[in-house]
Structures are given as C-alpha cells and as structure tokens.
Amino acid sequence: MNFNITNKDRKRAKNTCILMAVLFAVFAVLSAVFIFLTPNKQTVKALGENRELIKSQADGATGEDYFMLSDNAIYRYDAFENELISTFPLSTIGDLMQKNSETLLDGSLYKWGMKCVSDGTQTYYVLYDVNGNLFKLTDDGKNLALTEDYSISKDKREIKGCDNVGGDLYILLTENSRFRVNKYALNDVASGVKASKTLWEINDEAEEEDGVIAIKPMNTSTGILAFYATGDMLYVVTGGGNVVKVSSALADCVVNGESIDYFSIIEGDYAVLYEEYYAGYFRELLLEAEQDTYTQVQIETADKQTLVSYYGNLFADKLKKAQSDADTAAKSAAARDAEKNNKKWCDDYKRNRAELYVKEDYVDTSYYATLISGENSVSGIVYSKKSEAFYYTNDADGYLYSVEKSEVDNADHGEYLSNIDVKIEAVKCGDDQKFYNFGNGLSINEFANTLYMRFNNEQVVSIVDINDKANYSVIHTFEGDFDIYSFIGDKDNAVTHVLRQVSKVGLDGARSTELYASTYNPALFAKKTLIKTMMIVCLALTAVSLGVCLWFFAATKSDAVLSKVQIIQRDFKKNKYVYLALVGFVALLIMFCYYEAIGAISMSFFDYTREKPAWIWNNFGNYLRIFNQPNFWLSVRNMLFFLVTDLFFCIVPPLIFAFLLVLIRNKKLSGWIRSLMFIPGIIPSIATMLIWRIGIYGDDGVLNQLIGFFGGEKISFLYNTDYAMGSLIFMGFPFVGGYLIFYGGMMNIPEEYHEAGRLEGLGVIKRLLMIDIPLIMPQIKYIFIMTFIESVQNYARTFILGSSGTVTVVESMYRIMMGTQADYGMASAYATIIFAFLFVAVATNFKMQTKETMGEDL
Amino acid sequence: MENNMTSTQMLKKKSTLRMPHEKAGVQAVIITVVIFCTVFSFLPLFLTVVNALKTHGQVQTNAFSLPQLATIGEAVKGNFSAAWKEIGPYYFSTILVALVGAVGKVLISAVLAYILTFKNFYFKDFIFLLFIAVLLVPSIIGYPILVPFVRDTLRLGDTYFGYLLPMVGGGQVTGMFLFRTFFSQQPKSLYESASLDGANDVTMFSMITVPLALPIILYHFVGSFAGIYNEYLWASLILGNNMTLMNIMYSVVDNSKIKYGEVYAMYLISSVPLIFTSIISMKYFKSGEFAAGLKL
C-alpha cells in the first residue's frame, strides 16, 4: 500500500474535500426546499375513530368546514387543514333521541344528513336522521347551537333529503314504502307541516290508451340520488336516473280543475268497496287509518308479497256515487263502467303494483312529470344554483352532461334527458375511467361554482369550471394514492378529500371505523412529479457529496486513506464499463429485491390495505392479530410438519433411487430408466397437483375407485381432517423425481474409493453410508437448502389441494393478500414471520457455504 | 473436486474386482425396486394420456381402463376441442412469455456471473455480497410490496412486461450464483490467450464462456422456462386468472361442472412445451454430470 503520495495529491484531496462540502451544502438546502415543497399525498391525517362523515357538507355558507359525526358529538373540521374547530355534543339533543326507542346511532352510514340552508338573512344547519327527527342548528361560524328540534313522526320515517327555497324548507321523507315531501317554515319548523304531498310519478310502462295515463306512487325501492328545491319546482332524481319534477306549491294533483287533497280519511265503507273490487287478486285488505293526515291501505297479494299502497279520497265521492248507484250484485261491474269515462282504479297485479289511471287533460304534466334518462342511466347528478343547471354523468360514456333548469321545467312528461342535455366534450375522461359517483361522486363547490367529479377508480378527481357555459374547462385533475370518499372545497378549489371509511375488527371482535383526510393543493400538485423527482435527485446528490466530502476529509488527514482513495479512483477509471454495467444489475436488484424485502418488513408494523394505502403505525397490531388467530399455531404446526416430511421425501427416496441406479450392472437398462424418468416431468406442476386432487384423491379418483372395487366406502381424502395431511404428504409418491443430482454426484465418485471399500469388506448399505453419502454432501446440502426454502414457501399445495385443517403460514399470507381486504400490512407481517424463520434456519448454513466459495474463488 | 478428477484419470483402469452388489440376486431386487418406482412415477402421466382419450362417463366409472376404440374418436374430438377452446387463446402467448422470460433471466445472470467471475474491481466483494444476501430472502416475502409497486407505481398491472420484469430482475441471483460456480472452474489459460489475441470481454463471453458452460446454461434455461411456464402465484397477483395457461387451467378445474376427459386433454395440451424441454434435458443431463459442480 505504499504509494508515492505527494503534496500535490494532498492538496488536490483538500480542494476536492472543500468543493464537495460546498456541493453538499447546496444540495442539502435544495433538498430541504424540495421536501418542503413536495405535496405529500401519502401523509394522511387520521380524523379519529368511529366518526362518520355527514354527507352534505360542501354547499355550506362558509364552504370551508365539514362535519364529522361520532357516537356522541358532531365535530367540525376546517376543510383546508383538517383541523378540529369545534365539537357539538349530541347530548344537547340527547333528550329527544332518548324518546326514540330505537337507537339512532347504530353505526350505519347514512343515518344522518345535514344541510346548510339560508333564507337570505340567517344561515342554519338542518340536521336530520332516519327516524324523522329534525334539528335546526344555528351557526356562528365556529360553534353550532341547537335552536329547534322537531319530530316529524312517531313512526320511523327516513328523511332522504332536505332543501329550501327562501323561507320554505322542504323535506323529502319516506313513509313506509312511499315518498312524501313536507313543507315547513324555516323560521318556525316546530309549528308543523305547512303542506305535504305524496310523490307520484307517471308510469311509462303502463299502456296509454284513449288519452288515459297512469300515475303511481313513487316507490321507495327506487333510490334517491338527489333532491333539490328551487323556484317553484322540486326535483327528485331517482336511482334509475329519472328526474321527477313536482310543483313546489305542493298543491296536489289537479284533476278536472279541482285540487285534490290526499290526506283525508277514507271511511270504512270504501275499504269494503276496495276489498270487493280487488277480490279476484287480493286475499286480504287491511285498512289502517292513522291520525287524520293520511291513510294506509295494506294489501297482501295472493303470492304473499306485500304491497303497500296509499289512496286518499281522491275519488271518494265518485266511488261513493258509483256504489250507491249500482245494484249490489253488479256493483263491481257498475263501478268499473262508471269510472271508465273519467278515471278508473286499476291494478297491475302481475307487477304487484297499484296504479291510478287518469285522463290526460286532468293532469298538468308539465308540473308533474318524469324525465327519462333513456338507455344510459344517470349515475350522478348535481344542481348548481349559480349556473341554474343540472350536471349529470351517465354510466356509459364518461362525459359530463349539462341540462338547463329552464329546459327541465319546460320539458314534458316522458321526454328523454338526452334530448335536452348538452354533452360537455371538454370534460371527458379516458374510456377506462367512467364515472362512478353514486351519491357523492359529483359535487358542486358553491363558492367557486366549480364541479368536482370522481372517476370510477375512486382515486382520480377532476375539477371543472362551470362558470362559463360556453366554455367549460377542467381546471385540475389530480390523483390520490387512495380511494377518495368525499371532497370538500373552498373558494380556491383546494380540496380536502376524505378517504374511504375504514372498518376494522379489533382483537376483541369489536368493530370500529376510522376516517382519514388529506388536503389537495392544486397549484402544488400540478408540479408534483417534477418536484418529487428533483427532491430525490437532490437527496441522492446530497448523500453522495457528503460521503465523498467525508472521505476526502479523512484522506487529507491520513495518507493511508488517501492512498486508498487513489486506488479506488484508479479502479473506477480502469473498470468504468464494469461499473456502468453493474449499475443496471444493481438497480434491478434494489428495485425488485431489496426494496420489497425491506419494505415488507417495515410495512408489517403498519396498517396498510389496498383500500387505504397509507402507512399507519398500529402498535404491532398485525403481529398481535396473527398470534391471536386460532389458526396461526395450527398453520405453524402444519408448516413444520410439511417441512420435515418434505426434507425427508426430497432426500431419502431420491438418494436411494440414485444409489440403486448406480448399482445396476446393466448400464443400458440404467440409461433407459434415466431417459424414461424425464418423461413424467412434462406435466406442468399445477396440472400434476390437479391430477392428484381430482384424478387420484377425488370422489371419482383412482383411490376411491379402488376402494369401491374392494367394496369400501368412499373417502374424502382431502377434506376429512383425519386424512388430509397424510394425503398431501403422500402426494408425489414414489418421490424419486429429484434423483438426478444425487446420481450425478455419485457417478463422479472415483471408482477406487469403492474398491477400497470392498477391500475393507463393506457391504452395500455400509458403502452407501460411509462412502457415497459423505462424498455427495455438497449435492445433499444443495437439495436440503433448496427444499427447505421451497417447502416453507410452498403455498400452492395447500391452496390447491388443502382444506381448512391443512392451512400453512404462507397460505394464510396469500389468502390475506388476495382477499377482498387485501391487507398488505398483515400479509407483510406473515411474510416477515416466514422470513425470520427461514433466516435463522438457513443463514448459519449459508454463511459457512459462502465463506468456502469465496475462499475458493477469490 | 478438481484434485479428485485428476486422480481418477491418473488411476483409471478397469476394475476386475467383483462388488457385493453385483450378485445376480441383489441385482434382481435392485432392478425390481427401480422399475417399480419408475412405473409409479408415471402414474399422473398415464392417467392424463389414458383419460384424455375417454369420455367423461368412462373416466368417472374407471380411471384406469384403456380408451375404447369405439368411442375414442368422439372422445378425442370432444375433449380436445373443448380444452382448446378454454386455453387456446392464451396458449402461444404463455409459451412466448415463458421463453422471453427464460432467455432474459439466463442472459442477465450469465453476464452478471461473467463480470463477478472474471473482472477484478475494487468493490467486487461488496457487490457479490449484495447479490448473494438476496438468496436468504424468500421471494414471496416481497409480494405485499411488489404487487402494489408493479401495479400502481409502475402501472404495469395486467401486462406481460410487468409480469416478467420482476421475475427477471429479481431472478438474476440464483442464476448468477449457479453460473459463477461453473465459470470459475473454466481454465484460466483460455482467457489469458484470448486476451493476448486481443479479444474483448464481449468476444470472450460469447466465444469462450458460454460455449464451455453450455450444459449448465441450458439447465438453467430449461429450469427457468419451466418455472415461468408453471408460475401460478405471481401470475394470479399481476395478471389475474385469465392470462396465463396455469391460471386459466386452475380456474377451469376449480369450477364444479368439470368434464374429466376435457380436463385431462387440457393437461396434455399444456404439456407440449415441456416435452421439448424434456428432450433437451434428456440429451444433456442424462448423465447427471452437471451436478458435479453443483453447490451453494
């Protein structure tokens, strides 16, 4: 190592050291800047356990807050920073909730709804639940305060939507199987319903004859996508994609110039009339009058399907007249005849649906109409109050469509939405990114009048500017690293996206949910890729310059180090192509081996699933869960059992077979057998396993056929726990397939060893034990280690052939990774356990072996 | 080992001594056992061939019976056309993918082994350690990271490239290790004289190293081909269950309404590529000589 080190070299080293120190400082600062600038999507903020996002949050007066609900409070968060602003304890309204025998908060997602409403002077939040309770909360910009509560009904009536027009508050609720809209005074909800109306829709499927159209009550089996009140119309968009418009005056359907009130009680007489009228089709008619506001008629059909229908006294007088006019014997026929000219009750018993047929001129269809979405059903719809237009997406082509409110208002019943909508060509995602927006995939930012759309992979959201109707444009499209559950925007279109609510089952079996949020800053995300690349480059350069700097610093202090530096410099110069080539290999190695191994071990300490790809520390929860699983120790036992038997069957039978082949004197025969032994290997391993599963162990398999031949009963080899493990181990009989390596090893043993053995008087068995086996130890070790590693990792055997009793650790890992949960954190914990086991078992052996090899070659 | 070989050559002479196992009775026992084992090793293959030529009902009643001449034509037509309908669309692509993967794997490992055997550079030990340390890490460990990495980060999910890349990139180590053992046994003098003649590394690699190590390279190629061809787990994670033969086959068989004859025909069709690898194996490895240098 005695190189001639001159002062010139030392000086050069010193200069390099200083240069590197400067570079290091520069790169470190740059790195820090880029780290600071990088919008880190991965950082996900936990909003807390057992909190549910209240759906309506974006169209608030402040626009910057959203609300989260837990078992006992409503939390108010700042949409931008996701910071908790205030808490509204539900105990304030606890009294009222206590009155309900049912628990309000049993954890289902859409039990609560919340809407910000403003009559121009005052802003309120209306909170409602599925049991028909309505709470009016005032907001001072920070805290909510209960001003009023109102119970709509003792019955369970789910409130589906809520909206206001000025001082009128409209609530869409379900009443058994029907929809109803109630109107309240926003300033005084407690004073009660001002007007109410059952929602009817015109039935398109009904035959239209002689200008008669059928209207039917809207059935709650249709989901509601949206409910909007605006001007003199209410719009309800059904899950099937139809837009139902109703006059917000809530004056009921006008028939023959008369406004008809549905809410008077039907007298007992009419029940009898109905019964006879439907006698042919309905077995039982049940009349239930409740309060004095509505009437329920429950009819059970012949096939026991219950149909619930409502009829008011719309035709009470007329029916009464028909009844009195008709002869008792001919009542039904007379009633039918009497109605025929004006209207008739009819039922479509095949579809178990009651409908009302009305002459066309009696109904103003423009105030009472259903717009049809056509072949492509509407998958999400929003209404922009500023633009006075609906925006919707269908489930077919991935475009955004707009429909002017005025167009909808003027549209006749039955008109196709596709006739009046405008396809917004500018807003189209790729063919593979159709919209997926049930409920909250579209939302309007009232503040900036922009529209947020989530695509069907649930991770991509586009922000569309809808201010200029002539020129719609996508402002940003951003992609989260996780499924986006809901988004809340502010006037800058900065979006808080809330992750899918994650449900977890704890060790004690209790279910809990968690919510996560993170913020999207469009301006930064636009440059994200660039910033991130720069950051990585700068960090790498920082590390390299620091290393080189320190090295040269050491070199200036010590000649020994300096000479080493010089050796390496010369080596780099001389072998530059070698190093260049190695960069590729090492990159592949790091990318596909080290990254995975280190990543998996790290990930095993975190919560990380496909649904929620965020690293969240869970206090060894994965390991605790694994160790507490009843199956875990069984799987460990099975793994060890398979390991021992595999090692035995992969070494002993092939070794003996190879030895016997060596012993065969007839070399031609031995050659033939060796050739033949290649042939079974043509069957792919999966096929071999399947042959064993079905052809040999199966119900009609070879073994059961043999058993049947001798008069025995069929045995379920693979699913009976008495046989399963044995059957799996026996698979592969007679286990001699891997003999070739042993054979090759034995053939290389010099003949004189055997001759010496013979002179010593060694028999065949002693020869095997004392000469052949010791001399083929390298081959045996090779097979031993390979079998060891493969056996522990062999998931296919138990996956393809196994039953519940044969589960192994690696199979558990595979199932967790491939399952619907796709819990990668948990799978990593399994992988780490397997790795720890293998490492301890193989490392010692390997260390020895590599030392030998290295010593030999280097 | 080399010392042993040379001593063998030096002392090589025909043994005239009679070993104990050479007695006729012992030979008879040995041959019986060997033939018994051989016959039983053929059981899965026998079932496959025989039952592919029979109808569903015939297999169900007796899996061992030979195909009946009367029904064989109909059975073959029915079984093979149905089997081909299932696996045909992905048959050649699976073979091609396995071929490309095996070639890539062998090539990369051979070049790497060449560098790590014949080139002398300062960080050789370190880099060698970097590679062999990977042997301690079972490939399955990384899957929870690798799957999202390939699918989401590289966006190569459901592509054959994404399927092969980690297999080739991560699979270079075993091959390198295997090749290195064999390369280092090649006579150094050949390289020295080639070097004197002005041969560069590319020439030496292609003209000396590869030809000399052809058997072990073929061994690794055949093994890699069969390995990729037989791959199930990785394919199911990256490609789903409908892009490679094994996965299609498994999902067909996993269906409760399987037709036995058809399934066996499917096994037989999927065996065809492995027939070629078996022929290569038979030609080169029958003697087992390659095993002499085999060690970890």
Side-chain angles (χ1 to χ4, degrees):
Chain A
M1 288 292 185
N2 275 325
F3 285 86
N4 290 326
I5 293 174
T6 60
N7 276 333
K8 203 177 157 196
D9 292 332
R10 290 201 191 91
K11 202 169 178 193
R12 199 185 286 157
K14 200 175 168 188
N15 288 339
T16 321
C17 177
I18 292 166
L19 177 69
M20 284 299 158
V22 171
L23 280 179
F24 166 71
V26 170
F27 287 129
V29 169
L30 279 176
S31 304
V33 169
F34 284 121
I35 288 171
F36 181 74
L37 283 179
T38 304
N40 197 346
K41 285 190 293 180
Q42 299 280 10
T43 310
V44 174
K45 185 160 182 170
L47 294 175
E49 282 193 21
N50 290 323
R51 291 183 193 179
E52 292 168 4
L53 188 70
I54 295 178
K55 271 174 73 188
S56 58
Q57 76 288 10
D59 46 359
T62 70
E64 286 177 357
D65 296 342
Y66 62 100
F67 297 91
M68 201 77 58
L69 185 85
S70 81
D71 274 350
N72 44 32
I74 298 172
Y75 300 95
R76 181 191 199 125
Y77 288 90
D78 169 37
F80 199 59
E81 298 293 338
N82 297 312
E83 294 292 346
L84 183 66
I85 297 175
S86 64
T87 306
F88 174 71
L90 289 179
S91 56
T92 318
I93 53 175
D95 284 353
L96 206 137
M97 292 197 296
Q98 298 254 310
K99 281 186 218 156
N100 292 280
S101 52
E102 284 174 83
T103 49
L104 290 171
L105 306 162
D106 64 359
S108 74
L109 194 57
Y110 297 117
K111 284 216 144 184
W112 287 87
M114 194 154 154
K115 182 87 177 177
C116 178
V117 291
S118 172
D119 59 2
T121 53
Q122 175 92 38
T123 299
Y124 304 101
Y125 283 97
V126 176
L127 177 70
Y128 51 89
D129 72 8
V130 293
N131 288 347
N133 296 310
L134 193 138
F135 307 95
K136 206 171 84 187
L137 309 169
T138 49
D139 176 31
D140 64 3
K142 189 171 188 299
N143 289 301
L144 296 177
L146 184 67
T147 45
E148 213 175 348
D149 56 53
Y150 183 72
S151 182
I152 286 167
S153 146
K154 284 178 220 160
D155 262 358
K156 186 174 172 173
R157 293 183 192 177
E158 195 175 342
I159 300 182
K160 288 281 194 182
C162 162
D163 205 356
N164 78 311
V165 177
D168 293 328
L169 180 67
Y170 296 90
I171 306 289
L172 176 69
L173 59 132
T174 66
E175 215 171 37
N176 292 323
S177 66
R178 309 280 287 285
F179 286 112
R180 173 183 292 284
V181 179
N182 282 356
K183 183 164 123 184
Y184 300 89
L186 182 57
N187 292 323
D188 187 17
V189 175
S191 68
V193 186
K194 282 165 69 186
S196 181
K197 178 182 169 115
T198 307
L199 283 185
W200 294 72
E201 62 185 341
I202 295 175
N203 185 3
D204 280 298
E205 290 164 26
E207 279 179 38
E208 296 186 20
E209 46 174 46
D210 307 330
V212 173
I213 62 166
I215 61 175
K216 59 171 185 166
M218 251 175 85
N219 195 302
T220 46
S221 63
T222 43
I224 297 293
L225 278 181
F227 173 68
Y228 294 106
T230 167
D232 50 1
M233 281 286 189
L234 304 178
Y235 304 92
V236 178
V237 185
T238 68
N242 296 335
V243 179
V244 179
K245 54 176 179 169
V246 190
S247 162
S248 67
L250 292 192
D252 275 306
C253 153
V254 179
V255 175
N256 229 359
E258 297 169 41
S259 171
I260 296 160
D261 175 16
Y262 286 101
F263 305 110
S264 305
I265 193 160
I266 292 180
E267 289 158 30
D269 297 357
Y270 297 104
V272 179
L273 176 72
Y274 292 143
E275 186 175 23
E276 290 199 6
Y277 204 85
Y278 290 113
Y281 314 117
F282 300 127
R283 267 198 321 180
E284 200 183 5
L285 183 91
L286 194 137
L287 176 70
E288 180 197 332
E290 189 190 310
Q291 300 180 1
D292 56 353
T293 54
Y294 74 103
T295 299
Q296 179 186 10
V297 182
Q298 189 173 346
I299 300 158
E300 190 177 287
T301 60
D303 57 5
K304 291 256 175 200
Q305 277 183 297
T306 302
L307 166 75
V308 182
S309 302
Y310 287 87
Y311 305 105
N313 67 346
L314 171 56
F315 308 107
D317 291 340
K318 298 199 161 97
L319 287 172
K320 208 171 192 173
K321 191 162 173 282
Q323 186 191 25
S324 62
D325 285 356
D327 180 49
T328 317
K331 185 170 64 180
S332 299
R336 208 172 286 155
D337 287 343
E339 280 175 1
K340 199 149 193 176
N341 294 326
N342 295 323
K343 56 226 149 233
K344 63 182 176 177
W345 286 102
C346 181
D347 77 285
D348 180 349
Y349 60 92
K350 279 178 203 146
R351 280 177 283 168
N352 286 335
R353 204 154 53 197
E355 281 161 6
L356 173 64
Y357 281 72
V358 195
K359 257 198 165 181
E360 219 163 347
D361 358 325
Y362 295 157
V363 178
D364 182 350
T365 52
S366 72
Y367 266 71
Y368 200 83
T370 303
L371 276 71
I372 315 293
S373 61
E375 275 177 33
N376 304 330
S377 81
V378 170
S379 60
I381 191 160
V382 283
Y383 176 70
S384 162
K385 284 187 174 169
K386 272 189 188 164
S387 300
E388 293 208 321
F390 289 92
Y391 294 91
Y392 78 92
T393 55
N394 64 34
D395 58 6
D397 65 4
Y399 282 103
L400 183 69
Y401 291 87
S402 74
V403 183
E404 293 295 315
K405 175 182 170 293
S406 55
E407 296 274 6
V408 174
D409 291 348
N410 296 331
D412 279 337
H413 163 72
E415 193 161 321
Y416 283 101
L417 273 176
S418 52
N419 292 339
I420 57 173
D421 65 14
V422 176
K423 191 184 198 174
I424 303 175
E425 299 274 354
V427 186
K428 152 99 170 136
C429 6
D431 287 335
D432 55 334
Q433 292 181 322
K434 284 169 195 160
F435 294 111
Y436 174 90
N437 36 31
F438 294 104
N440 50 4
L442 286 182
S443 109
I444 292 279
N445 180 344
E446 302 270 349
F447 238 5
N449 201 29
T450 48
L451 179 138
Y452 300 152
M453 303 188 302
R454 182 183 59 193
F455 302 154
N456 72 341
N457 65 9
E458 300 193 21
Q459 299 187 348
V460 180
V461 173
S462 276
I463 302 176
V464 185
D465 188 344
I466 54 173
N467 283 304
D468 182 0
K469 284 185 184 172
N471 185 20
Y472 291 102
S473 61
V474 178
I475 306 173
H476 301 293
T477 293
F478 71 94
E479 188 175 357
D481 285 344
F482 37 72
D483 293 353
I484 295 160
Y485 171 73
S486 191
F487 19 82
I488 302 113
D490 68 0
K491 57 183 179 298
D492 297 327
N493 284 315
V495 184
T496 287
H497 33 274
V498 178
L499 265 81
R500 186 190 288 278
Q501 190 158 293
V502 182
S503 301
K504 284 204 306 192
V505 182
L507 289 177
D508 53 355
R511 294 191 72 85
S512 61
T513 55
E514 283 181 75
L515 268 179
Y516 301 89
S518 76
T519 306
Y520 164 71
N521 184 333
L524 283 184
F525 269 73
K527 295 175 204 139
K528 185 190 169 275
T529 325
L530 186 69
I531 293 174
K532 209 167 176 183
T533 320
M534 295 297 285
M535 183 195 77
I536 290 169
V537 169
C538 281
L539 276 179
L541 288 174
T542 312
V544 169
S545 54
L546 176 67
V548 176
C549 169
L550 288 177
W551 212 7
F552 277 93
F553 182 71
T556 55
K557 298 285 168 203
S558 143
D559 282 355
V561 179
L562 184 54
S563 66
K564 207 164 207 173
V565 167
Q566 284 180 336
I567 294 170
I568 291 166
Q569 275 178 326
R570 276 179 214 136
D571 181 62
F572 271 128
K573 214 171 267 173
K574 189 182 138 208
N575 289 313
K576 52 178 180 280
Y577 294 113
V578 171
Y579 284 110
L580 212 61
L582 280 173
V583 165
F585 293 110
V586 173
L588 281 177
L589 189 77
I590 288 173
M591 203 150 74
F592 294 115
C593 291
Y594 279 95
Y595 172 60
E596 277 70 30
I598 293 167
I601 293 171
S602 322
M603 196 193 266
S604 70
F605 299 102
F606 293 85
D607 265 347
Y608 188 102
T609 61
R610 190 184 296 150
E611 278 188 341
K612 176 183 63 88
W615 296 58
I616 294 153
W617 177 261
N618 68 358
N619 288 323
F620 304 97
N622 293 331
Y623 290 97
L624 288 177
R625 248 186 299 167
I626 289 174
F627 291 131
N628 279 306
Q629 250 165 22
N631 260 348
F632 177 69
W633 296 108
L634 174 72
S635 66
V636 170
R637 198 204 70 185
N638 287 341
M639 180 183 85
L640 294 176
F641 194 65
F642 279 125
L643 178 62
V644 171
T645 51
D646 278 347
L647 285 174
F648 179 82
F649 285 125
C650 284
I651 294 178
V652 178
L655 190 79
I656 293 175
F657 187 74
F659 186 60
L660 294 178
L661 277 178
V662 172
L663 291 187
I664 288 181
R665 260 174 71 196
N666 186 342
K667 291 302 162 207
K668 217 169 194 178
L669 178 68
S670 145
W672 268 104
I673 285 176
R674 278 183 284 127
S675 297
L676 280 176
M677 283 301 286
F678 279 107
I679 296 175
I682 65 168
I683 299 194
S685 55
I686 293 283
T688 312
M689 279 189 232
L690 292 171
I691 291 169
W692 279 89
R693 173 170 124 179
I694 290 158
I696 296 177
Y697 289 140
D699 278 350
D700 303 321
V702 168
L703 286 178
N704 273 320
Q705 285 182 7
L706 278 179
I707 291 169
F709 183 73
F710 291 110
E713 274 189 28
K714 277 188 177 178
I715 294 173
S716 175
F717 285 96
L718 295 171
Y719 302 107
N720 183 332
T721 41
D722 293 342
Y723 298 104
M725 285 299 283
S727 304
L728 288 189
I729 287 161
F730 195 72
M731 190 180 84
F733 180 83
F735 314 107
V736 295
Y739 77 97
L740 195 64
I741 287 173
F742 295 127
Y743 177 82
M746 285 181 186
M747 288 309 282
N748 275 307
I749 296 172
E751 197 54 30
E752 48 270 28
Y753 283 79
H754 297 143
E755 282 172 19
R758 197 205 69 87
L759 291 173
E760 290 289 320
L762 290 185
V764 175
I765 292 167
K766 275 198 168 165
R767 170 187 152 181
L768 174 68
L769 294 177
M770 298 177 72
I771 299 173
D772 294 64
I773 289 182
L775 284 169
I776 58 162
M777 234 26 203
Q779 281 82 8
I780 294 177
K781 260 184 189 161
Y782 178 85
I783 299 284
F784 183 88
I785 291 174
M786 286 301 174
T787 309
F788 200 108
I789 296 173
E790 267 159 34
S791 169
V792 172
Q793 293 192 68
N794 188 340
Y795 89 100
R797 168 172 50 199
T798 54
F799 178 73
I800 291 179
L801 284 93
S803 53
S804 59
T806 62
V807 65
T808 58
V809 182
V810 66
E811 190 197 347
S812 309
M813 176 192 138
Y814 176 77
R815 287 191 187 278
I816 278 184
M817 201 158 43
M818 290 300 282
T820 45
Q821 283 262 305
D823 190 337
Y824 290 130
M826 187 94 160
S828 299
Y830 271 111
T832 310
I833 291 170
I834 297 168
F835 170 65
F837 176 72
L838 275 178
F839 189 84
V840 170
V842 184
T844 346
N845 198 315
F846 246 117
K847 203 174 167 192
M848 243 154 53
Q849 296 292 318
T850 40
K851 250 185 196 158
E852 278 172 28
T853 336
M854 299 269 287
E856 207 172 277
D857 297 334
L858 296 172
Chain B
M1 202 57 83
E2 277 173 37
N3 290 338
N4 291 341
M5 304 258 281
T6 46
S7 64
T8 318
Q9 283 156 0
M10 279 161 60
L11 295 171
K12 200 172 183 182
K13 57 184 174 188
K14 189 88 181 169
S15 167
T16 49
L17 295 162
R18 202 169 158 81
M19 300 282 193
H21 61 83
E22 296 188 340
K23 289 175 197 149
V26 180
Q27 281 292 310
V29 172
I30 289 171
I31 289 171
T32 316
V33 173
V34 165
I35 288 178
F36 174 83
C37 287
T38 311
V39 167
F40 263 91
S41 300
F42 271 76
L43 180 65
L45 181 63
F46 171 78
L47 286 176
T48 307
V49 174
V50 164
N51 291 332
L53 307 178
K54 296 194 294 201
T55 60
H56 178 71
Q58 288 169 341
V59 182
Q60 208 166 15
T61 41
N62 187 351
F64 277 119
S65 67
L66 294 172
Q68 285 163 356
L69 275 178
T71 57
I72 195 166
E74 175 205 343
V76 167
K77 205 176 154 200
N79 290 344
F80 282 85
S81 64
W84 183 252
K85 213 172 142 195
E86 295 283 355
I87 60 177
Y90 287 97
Y91 188 67
F92 294 106
S93 55
T94 308
I95 296 174
L96 190 71
V97 163
L99 265 179
V100 170
V103 168
K105 226 167 146 174
V106 168
L107 198 69
I108 286 191
S109 351
V111 172
L112 183 63
Y114 178 86
I115 293 175
L116 289 177
T117 313
F118 297 114
K119 304 309 285 183
N120 282 312
F121 50 97
Y122 191 80
F123 291 106
K124 185 170 170 177
D125 291 4
F126 172 73
I127 286 180
F128 185 62
L129 265 175
L130 201 66
F131 276 95
I132 52 165
V134 168
L135 284 180
L136 283 179
V137 186
S139 58
I140 201 161
I141 276 198
Y143 284 1
I145 300 276
L146 191 55
V147 172
F149 177 62
V150 173
R151 281 195 163 276
D152 304 333
T153 312
L154 301 180
R155 294 181 179 282
L156 290 174
D158 301 316
T159 64
Y160 288 120
F161 185 64
Y163 169 65
L164 282 182
L165 188 66
M167 281 214 262
V168 174
Q172 51 182 330
V173 184
T174 359
M176 179 277 284
F177 208 69
L178 193 67
F179 291 156
R180 195 171 167 278
T181 314
F182 282 81
F183 289 178
S184 60
Q185 288 166 9
Q186 291 174 355
K188 297 270 182 302
S189 50
L190 267 177
Y191 289 93
E192 279 155 19
S193 48
S195 181
L196 285 177
D197 289 344
N200 59 13
D201 284 320
V202 178
T203 326
M204 285 198 276
F205 176 74
S206 54
M207 306 300 280
I208 304 174
T209 320
V210 172
L212 280 179
L214 197 61
I216 195 68
I217 288 176
L218 271 178
Y219 175 78
H220 191 54
F221 172 78
V222 165
S224 303
F225 176 82
I228 300 175
Y229 188 70
N230 284 326
E231 181 59 55
Y232 176 82
L233 171 62
W234 178 237
S236 73
L237 289 169
I238 287 299
L239 300 176
N241 271 339
N242 52 6
M243 279 173 80
T244 59
L245 223 50
M246 294 305 134
N247 297 63
I248 294 168
M249 201 157 75
Y250 179 70
S251 38
V252 170
V253 176
D254 214 27
N255 189 330
S256 53
K257 282 179 271 173
I258 55 164
K259 294 249 186 298
Y260 290 133
E262 181 188 322
V263 166
Y264 282 109
M266 211 154 67
Y267 299 156
L268 210 56
I269 297 174
S270 66
S271 297
V272 172
L274 297 178
I275 292 177
F276 292 103
T277 59
S278 290
I279 290 172
I280 298 175
S281 307
M282 236 186 261
K283 190 165 182 309
Y284 286 93
F285 313 131
K286 205 173 99 179
S287 65
E289 268 167 13
F290 72 95
L294 209 61
K295 57 190 168 197
L296 276 177

